[in-house]
């Protein structure tokens, strides 16, 4: 199978996940690997990944996704605020929303990703101005949780996700949209 893995990574988190996805696709031809814009040619499956930018994919990934037509796409990403599976599911829905109607979204997978120290410093400064702000306290908790991610377990999950997506595309015409 011909596979393209296109991703945007601001801090290296999504690039690490993309590499794990590549490893999960061993035995298949990788026709493209890297940031958008990229030529995906005759790829039968496109993995498209991004860091999370205000609850959705990075602008360059959204733009790339909107150029695809008649493609089969599996989405992935990292998020600094990933404290729940429901949040990751909502990200998958938002990323899928960037795809044209004639694409087939196989599935989406996300994991936490560490953020730069400046982000924590900004939250701490805001919390000093608004002591007891639960939203900011939750943001700090999410920041601290994401510090060790993506970790080895996340990367193994990314490899497994890739294998599962390849199996779905090779063996089925049923897709999630």
């Amino acid at each position: 199978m011909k596979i393209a893995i296109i991703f945007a990574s601001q801090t290296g988190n999504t690039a690490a996940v993309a590499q794990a996805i590549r490893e999960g696709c061993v035995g298949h031809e990788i026709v493209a690997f890297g940031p958008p814009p990229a030529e995906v040619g005759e790829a039968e499956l496109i993995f498209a990944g991004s860091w999370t930018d205000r609850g959705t994919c990075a602008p360059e990934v959204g733009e790339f996704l909107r150029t695809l037509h008649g493609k089969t796409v599996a989405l992935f990403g990292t998020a600094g605020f990933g404290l729940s599976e429901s949040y990751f599911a909502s990200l998958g829905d938002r990323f899928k929303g960037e795809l044209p109607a004639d694409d087939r979204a196989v599935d989406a997978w996300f994991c936490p990703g560490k953020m730069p120290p400046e982000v924590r410093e900004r939250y701490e400064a805001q919390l000093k101005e608004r002591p007891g702000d639960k939203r900011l306290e939750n943001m700090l908790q999410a920041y601290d949780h994401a510090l060790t991610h993506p970790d080895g377990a996340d990367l193994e999950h990314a490899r497994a996700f890739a294998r599962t997506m390849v199996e779905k595309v090779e063996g089925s015409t049923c897709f999630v949209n």
Side-chain angles (χ1 to χ4, degrees):
M1 175 182 296
K2 293 180 180 184
I3 297 172
I5 305 167
I6 308 302
F7 59 94
S9 185
Q10 193 171 52
T11 61
N13 298 328
T14 308
V17 172
Q19 181 58 41
I21 286 173
R22 183 179 207 162
E23 293 163 6
C25 294
V26 68
H28 298 276
E29 182 183 352
I30 306 300
V31 298
F33 183 86
E39 178 55 47
V40 297
E42 298 299 315
E44 299 159 89
L45 173 60
I46 300 166
F47 286 93
S50 179
W51 55 281
T52 301
D53 184 15
R54 297 180 180 128
T56 192
C57 57
E60 63 270 31
V61 172
E63 186 176 313
F64 168 75
L65 292 174
R66 290 187 293 275
T67 69
L68 301 175
H69 291 284
K71 297 293 186 179
T72 300
V73 183
L75 301 161
F76 68 96
T78 58
F81 297 103
L83 291 179
S84 72
E85 289 303 315
S86 64
Y87 178 68
F88 288 150
S90 72
L91 291 177
D93 290 341
R94 288 184 213 138
F95 281 37
K96 287 175 190 174
E98 299 290 340
L99 289 168
D102 62 338
D103 286 334
R104 294 178 303 251
V106 183
D107 207 343
W109 179 84
F110 292 82
C111 74
K114 61 187 161 292
M115 295 176 280
E118 302 80 44
V119 172
R120 189 174 215 298
E121 292 165 6
R122 186 173 63 240
Y123 297 156
E124 288 171 338
Q126 291 173 354
L127 191 58
K128 283 182 183 176
E129 295 171 6
R130 297 189 305 265
D133 184 317
K134 293 296 180 200
R135 185 178 133 288
L136 287 169
E137 289 172 357
N138 288 338
M139 291 167 81
L140 281 166
Q141 180 184 7
Y143 177 94
D144 292 341
H145 170 76
L147 277 175
T148 59
H149 294 274
D151 61 16
D154 296 326
L155 298 177
E156 185 49 45
H157 284 125
R159 289 181 200 97
F161 171 72
R163 290 188 294 270
T164 299
M165 296 304 96
V166 167
E167 289 170 8
K168 276 186 173 184
V169 171
E170 286 182 327
S172 176
T173 57
C174 298
F175 298 96
V176 176
N177 276 327

